[in-house]
Amino acid sequence: MGRRLIRLLGAYLVLVLSAVPAVTAADKIKLGYIATMSGPAASLGQDILDGVKLGITHAGNTLGGLPVEVIVGDDQLKPDVGVQVATKMLEKDKVDFITGVVFSNVMMAIAQPISEAGVFLISANAGPSPLAGAGCLPNLFTVSWQNDQTHEAMGKYLQDKGVKRLYLMAPNYQAGKDALAGVKRYFQGEIVGEIYTAINQPDYAAELTQLRAAKPEAVFAFYPGGMGINFVKQYAQMGLKTEIPFYAPAFTVDHTILPAQGEAALGILNASFWSPDLPNPVNHQFVADFQKTYGRIPSLYAAQGYDAARLIDSAVRAVRGNLQDKNALRAALRKAEFASVRGPFKFNHNHFPIQNFYICQAIKTADGAFTHALQSVAFTDHADAYHAQCPMQWP
Amino acid sequence: MPVDPILLLVQGMNGLQLGIMLFLMAAGLTLVFGIMNLINLAHGSLYMMGAYLAATGQRWTGSFVLGVLLALPLTVALGMLLERVALRTLYHRDHLDQVLATFGLMLFFNEFVRLLWGPQAYFMAVPPALSGQIMLLPGVPYSAYRLAVVGVGLLAAVCLCVAVQYTRLGMWIRAGASNRAMIDALGVNITRLYTIVFGCGAGLAGLAGMMAGPILALQVGMGEPVLILAFVVIVIGGIGSIRGAFIAALLVGVIDTFGRVLLPPALASMTIYLLMALVLYWRPQGLFPATV
């Protein structure tokens, strides 16, 4: 009888004691992942997710020491669907963080509701200018870049190289216009042509014929995803590659589409914040383990996903798993004390990164794989052009 | 802008080439719609399957021609199987049911390709013999492969016309389009005829995909934008008419090409739809309606 009582008491004590830390630290962390997971753009969403998962694995299958539940939602590249998925994650799943988000139009729709719900949104891709400027949000952290930055890097490179006559092409939507605006912010020479094509246009024969007739000194074109495959293949097939040098942001020749572009992409100089051969130990480990796990070279999208997971990990670790204290979490996120695959990383006061940008070249390795090789540095510690309009200030 | 005759020539070739590709797509669609009275949204999936099968064949055999020769009968067989298993039940249903069912098939094929070939785009190389440039005139290069596409498309158009106009099968097809019950009563196996027609349509869509493969990205959903254009073509040309589809395809190809060159982008992407609206206003039955 007495023994049983002691046992009961013991069990009670264990329960009470184990419940005490739960008051401050959560027992697990729920991570919502919203991205385009279906349709032609699904490979980008998949690459970011694979990067996030590897980041979690490298943090000991946790985020900040807490076991993780990842909830994946597909925005179908539609802002209204993105809002539905976000609402479900906020109200039903009660997630602690949301990450992912490939497209800027989806980001514009979901950023404010998520931030207002007191949940942290870590963008692993989209960085539209309004959210970097006057519309910056206290709970939005963009771990990738501001949309214009990569294109600014190529504009600067072309300017420094002494190119005088440049021809510009991009799809006719916000990111395309941002891209060409980014180039023009740093390129001072003559713009011989500025052509916008319909989004997801498959064939560029007519535009490339006009381009050839304009005889520019160089071409800059922003065509992400499947459009990039079509454009780069057709540019090479028309014999233009040997005639007019082609420059691009990394999104036009990234690792999700390089194998489908093949030889057509070889030699193309492109701008990026990251490259698989960026010499730092974190990146080395990331690229090696990604290839081991998924059997392909990671793209910049995967690198962004990886950094998003490591950023969350660092912040949760800093607050010792107390997910309720949002102010402490925000302060920890701002410090960005994680080892980024890009080496130095810090947040500007608008929660967008200040980082280096590089010029890379598309190459084929000795074993026949297509990848990028670092060529030169375009910018060191480059901040975006909109941060001055963001009223948010912190030391 | 100053009119440069050489530029005009090259852009004309671009328009012709786009038109030929559209014709291959639209011919199958108009056959199936005109003769079997079936709206087939899965036609774009057959285009995609043709491209993926040929790319896989090319990877195995190392030859583009062998890849196409392997993929073409496979696509025809796939079309026939599809007709027997899924579409046969839809002939007597109204068009909305057909749209729903074939839309479902489209989703099925997209997921099927994603499972089999993965979400990332697939690579198909230009055959080495055609990778260079051919001089249309001295100093006016044009992609040899694109010229070959024009050749293959024209050949397919001629074969199709001869088959429909001058063979027994073609006669049955034309008769079947006019009066299904009558040709059935005359002892022609109309069920088998429909399977054959659908197989031919699938083969044409597949051929279009195979020809487009080296130029375009092979990816899930690649057939849908082409399908929309093909519908525009058959509406302009007159539903069920091969001749109408041919002329309308060239018209759409040339107008779209010059529209993109001469007009601002917002207007350029509208030109062919404006053309369609105009044709529908003046000739609701299309330019060359099939005689029913």
Side-chain angles (χ1 to χ4, degrees), chain A residues 155-166:
Chain A
K156 168 127 188 324
Y157 175 81
L158 291 169
Q159 176 68 19
D160 291 352
K161 201 179 154 69
V163 169
K164 296 275 179 287
R165 292 161 47 80
L166 184 63

Side-chain angles (χ1 to χ4, degrees), chain B residues 52-66:
Chain B
Y52 269 95
L53 288 171
T56 310
Q58 186 192 33
R59 200 162 282 197
W60 280 349
T61 61
S63 152
F64 175 77
V65 177
L66 279 180

Side-chain angles (χ1 to χ4, degrees), chain A residues 203 206 209-210 230 237 260, chain B residues 11 14 123 133 146 214 217 260:
Chain A
D203 191 41
T209 304
Q210 294 301 111
N230 294 339
Q237 280 167 19
Chain B
Q11 293 294 21
N14 288 333
F123 178 66
Q133 308 289 310
R146 283 179 188 259
R260 270 154 55 200

Side-chain angles (χ1 to χ4, degrees), chain A residues 99-150:
Chain A
T99 187
V101 196
V102 178
F103 288 92
S104 294
N105 54 349
V106 177
M107 175 55 94
M108 289 304 293
I110 67 173
Q112 198 152 3
I114 294 174
S115 184
E116 278 172 3
V119 167
F120 289 102
L121 173 58
I122 314 294
S123 172
N125 196 60
S129 50
L131 296 179
C136 61
L137 295 165
N139 291 343
L140 167 67
F141 286 82
T142 302
V143 82
S144 48
W145 21 257
Q146 195 280 314
N147 283 358
D148 301 20
Q149 282 185 311
T150 307

